[in-house]
Amino acid sequence: GEFTPEGAFVLHPYGRYCNANKFAGEVDTFECLEHARKHYRIDESRLVARRFSLGGAACWPFATHYPTLWCAAAPGAGFAETPEFLNNFQNEQVKPTWYEERLWRWYNATDYAQNVFNLPTVAYSGEDDKQKQAADVMAREMKKVGLELTHVIGPKTGHKYEPGAKKVVSERIDAIAAKGKPAEPRSEIKFVTYTLRYNRCGWVEVTGLEKHWQPASVSATYR
C-alpha cells in the first residue's frame, strides 16, 4: 500500500471487484475489521479510513456515513457522487429514472457533506487528475454548510501521489492518529442522513424518519 505507518495495522479489503466497497463491499469491510479485532489488539480511538482511486471512492462514504467511527479520513481521488462524476469523468449522458436518482442518496457523499463536521478529513488530489473532481465537489457541498475541506493538491501530477504532497498528507494524518479520538465524546454533533441504514453519529441515534430518502438533520450539544 501507499501508506504503511509504523506501529499500525493496515487492512486492505477487496471490496467486491469494482463497486468501491459499496453494498456488499461495505459489509465485507466491517467483517474484515471485526476479524482483525479477534486476532490483534486494535486501538479503536485510532482507526483511520484512507484509500486512493477506487479506494478513494470507498473512503468518502465510509467517512460521511460513519463519521465518529474513525479518528481521521484521507480520501484520495476516486469519486464522491454519481451524476456529476459520470458526466464529467466518463462523458456519459446520465438520464436516470426517478427511483435511480432517489437511491443515489444512498452513496452520494455530497449529500452527507455536513457529517465531515464530526471527522478530521484530509483529501488529496493530483492537480492534473480528472478525479480531482471528487474532492472539488465535496469542498463545494461542505462550503454550503459552513465547512472547509482540507485539500492537499500534488502540483503538475496526474492520477498518483506527488511525493511532497504525500508527505504532507502523512504528516497531517499521523499527527491526528497520534492523538486519537478524545476520551470524552465530542460535545457537539451535526449530522444528516437520508436512511436509517446510517442512523448513528457518536451519541446521536436517529430512530425514525418522517420520509425516507429525504434529508433528516440533527444538530445537538450537551454539557
Side-chain angles (χ1 to χ4, degrees), residues 104-127:
W104 282 343
R105 295 172 183 168
W106 192 345
Y107 284 110
N108 278 354
T110 46
D111 291 335
Y112 297 79
Q114 176 68 82
N115 296 345
V116 183
F117 172 83
N118 309 286
L119 177 64
T121 300
V122 181
Y124 168 80
S125 305
E127 183 180 22

Side-chain angles (χ1 to χ4, degrees), residues 94-151:
V94 184
K95 297 179 180 179
T97 62
W98 67 268
Y99 53 86
E100 287 177 307
E101 187 170 15
R102 183 168 297 177
L103 287 173
W104 282 343
R105 295 172 183 168
W106 192 345
Y107 284 110
N108 278 354
T110 46
D111 291 335
Y112 297 79
Q114 176 68 82
N115 296 345
V116 183
F117 172 83
N118 309 286
L119 177 64
T121 300
V122 181
Y124 168 80
S125 305
E127 183 180 22
D128 300 330
D129 186 2
K130 289 183 70 174
Q131 289 187 18
K132 178 175 176 289
Q133 180 261 357
D136 287 343
V137 295
M138 283 301 298
R140 181 192 69 202
E141 296 306 307
M142 286 172 58
K143 189 174 182 179
K144 292 178 182 178
V145 292
L147 302 175
E148 184 176 351
L149 176 64
T150 300
H151 189 188

Side-chain angles (χ1 to χ4, degrees), residues 31-218:
E31 287 182 348
C32 289
L33 183 57
E34 185 59 30
H35 183 77
R37 288 187 177 110
K38 291 180 180 179
H39 295 277
Y40 305 100
R41 296 176 62 189
I42 304 299
D43 187 341
E44 301 292 337
S45 73
R46 290 179 168 83
L47 294 178
V48 176
R50 173 156 57 184
R51 302 283 295 281
F52 182 77
S53 193
L54 191 63
C59 190
W60 278 118
F62 274 121
T64 54
H65 288 160
Y66 305 97
T68 54
L69 175 63
W70 324 100
C71 73
F79 55 92
E81 44 69 52
T82 298
E84 291 185 62
F85 174 79
L86 291 180
N87 191 335
N88 298 336
F89 184 76
Q90 299 188 177
N91 299 316
E92 292 186 30
Q93 294 298 316
V94 184
K95 297 179 180 179
T97 62
W98 67 268
Y99 53 86
E100 287 177 307
E101 187 170 15
R102 183 168 297 177
L103 287 173
W104 282 343
R105 295 172 183 168
W106 192 345
Y107 284 110
N108 278 354
T110 46
D111 291 335
Y112 297 79
Q114 176 68 82
N115 296 345
V116 183
F117 172 83
N118 309 286
L119 177 64
T121 300
V122 181
Y124 168 80
S125 305
E127 183 180 22
D128 300 330
D129 186 2
K130 289 183 70 174
Q131 289 187 18
K132 178 175 176 289
Q133 180 261 357
D136 287 343
V137 295
M138 283 301 298
R140 181 192 69 202
E141 296 306 307
M142 286 172 58
K143 189 174 182 179
K144 292 178 182 178
V145 292
L147 302 175
E148 184 176 351
L149 176 64
T150 300
H151 189 188
V152 179
I153 299 173
K156 300 179 180 179
T157 302
H159 192 61
K160 61 181 181 180
Y161 279 98
E162 189 272 331
K166 180 180 177 180
K167 183 179 179 182
V168 172
V169 172
S170 288
E171 289 175 347
R172 294 191 178 192
I173 294 298
D174 289 350
I176 297 169
K179 295 179 180 178
K181 291 190 295 186
E184 292 294 322
R186 61 184 307 126
S187 60
E188 182 178 14
I189 284 176
K190 294 183 180 180
F191 180 61
V192 64
T193 188
Y194 289 74
T195 168
L196 293 179
R197 176 71 179 82
Y198 307 110
N199 70 330
R200 286 181 172 274
C201 184
W203 42 269
V204 168
E205 179 181 5
V206 178
T207 58
L209 298 175
E210 185 173 315
K211 193 170 184 180
H212 284 260
W213 306 115
Q214 299 300 321
S217 300
V218 178

